Each structure stands twice: as structure tokens, then as C-alpha cells.
Amino acid sequence: MLWGSFALFTLVLGLFLAAVLVPRFGRGVSQTRWIILGGLVLPLPVLTGLTFYAFAEGEFLLKGAVSEADEVLEIRATGRMWQWQFSYPSVSGSPVHTDLLHIPAGRTVEIIAESEDVIHSFWVPRLGGKIDAVPGHSNRLRIRADQPGRYGGICSEYCGTGHAGMQFEVQAHRQEDFREVVTGGFRHD
Ligand SMILES: [Cu+2]
């Protein structure tokens, strides 16, 4: 995409400079032809190609990140003004954690992003893309931390006066510690 946009940018800039600097540049081509060539013939295949490319990459983000043997852990992330609450449907006895997301390192986690009020956006820059948390919807995003550690997370959709402070921390734990941490029986720093 970078090289494609570079090529198009160079083409547009070249045409612009030619139109400004070269006397009578382009007069041999009719206005209608410029519009049809530059406005339809050029962008249509480019945009069509990019659309299918984006579909394929999007599918990969959802499916390709996980092997068959790797069971995905689902974690519910609920945004509200102005904090995040994390719950673990598959871990019995786990309380709701506020602004602190525990995940097992080396395992793919599927975040189910939801909202109780306005649109928020779940984002942990070092672990993957962002996903909107929309009231009445459940959006899914897969993240994965290869190493145990701490990772900063933030709401990346403006959601009111407390938006800037709507941060959370992700703690990736060793797999053997994870369950105990989530159920609240284990502390380590
Ligand atoms: Cu926000």
C-alpha cells in the first residue's frame, strides 16, 4: 500500500507540476477525457483491488493468527465513562477487573468489546489493532503477548471529558500463573 500510494502521489504531483510549469500541457486531451481517465479508469481498479486486499487481510487477522490446536481465550472488555471492566466468562470464580486486563502470555486472546454508554475504542498499541466498543454490539479483536510483561492500553475514541484518563494496563502472565491471578488468589509484581 505504501509503494502504491507513493506511485499515485508521484503521478498526481507530476501532473500538477506539468500543468503549472509546462505551457499548454494537456491541452491536447479533452476535459471529458481527463475526467474519465483520471477520475474513473485509474481509481476504479485501484480501489477494487485495495478493497479485496483489505478483506483478505481482515480475514487473516481473525483466523490466521491462531493454529487449530491453540484454544482462544475469550475476555469481555466493557467500556463505560470512563473506565474499562474486564471479565472472564470461561474462568469460573473470577471477579470483574477494572482498568487491569490479565492475559496469559503466549496464547491468543479474543477481546469481546462492548459499551454501556457511548462509543469507546479498545487499543493496546504493542499487542495489535484497535476495535470500537459500540453500545448494543459485540466487536471482536484478537491480541497476543508473546512475553510476560506489562503493556499500556487506552481508549482511542473520544468519549467525553474523562476520555484522556481512560487508560488501562495489560499484564501478561506466565500460563501457569494466569488462572490464579484472574481469580484473585495470586499477586506478583
Ligand atoms: Cu474514550
Side-chain angles (χ1 to χ4, degrees):
M1 279 194 183
L2 176 70
W3 290 115
S5 58
F6 182 75
L8 286 176
F9 179 73
T10 309
L11 174 70
V12 172
L13 196 68
L15 286 174
F16 172 72
L17 289 176
V20 171
L21 300 175
V22 180
R24 305 191 59 78
F25 175 80
R27 295 281 169 84
V29 181
S30 75
Q31 291 182 355
T32 317
R33 181 161 286 191
W34 273 115
I35 291 173
I36 289 175
L37 288 177
L40 292 172
V41 175
L42 178 66
L44 267 182
V46 172
L47 293 179
T48 308
L50 282 179
T51 301
F52 283 102
Y53 176 71
F55 275 135
E57 286 297 298
E59 283 296 303
F60 173 78
L61 281 181
L62 217 54
K63 297 204 184 94
V66 193
S67 66
E68 291 295 318
D70 189 6
E71 195 194 339
V72 175
L73 174 74
E74 289 187 338
I75 300 177
R76 201 168 290 275
T78 308
R80 52 197 278 204
M81 291 189 262
W82 289 281
Q83 56 180 217
W84 289 96
Q85 297 200 312
F86 301 105
S87 60
Y88 302 77
S90 63
V91 183
S92 58
S94 61
V96 171
H97 297 257
T98 300
D99 290 337
L100 182 55
L101 168 59
H102 299 289
I103 61 173
R107 192 174 160 193
T108 301
V109 174
E110 185 157 294
I111 300 295
I112 307 169
E114 295 172 343
S115 170
E116 286 186 1
D117 36 48
V118 299
I119 299 177
H120 303 279
S121 184
F122 174 98
W123 190 29
V124 185
R126 286 170 65 199
L127 299 185
K130 51 177 95 165
I131 192 84
D132 275 2
V134 181
H137 288 272
S138 297
N139 287 335
R140 288 165 182 265
L141 173 75
R142 288 187 171 172
I143 62 172
R144 185 186 177 105
D146 292 326
Q147 300 295 332
R150 293 160 182 254
Y151 305 86
I154 194 165
C155 173
S156 63
E157 175 73 43
Y158 180 73
C159 57
T161 52
H163 166 68
M166 196 170 159
Q167 301 172 0
F168 58 98
E169 184 177 283
V170 180
Q171 291 184 2
H173 305 276
R174 296 184 304 165
Q175 301 236 21
E176 53 266 39
D177 299 335
F178 171 70
R179 188 166 291 265
E180 228 177 329
V181 173
V182 167
T183 51
F186 186 91
R187 301 239 160 274
H188 82 84
D189 266 291

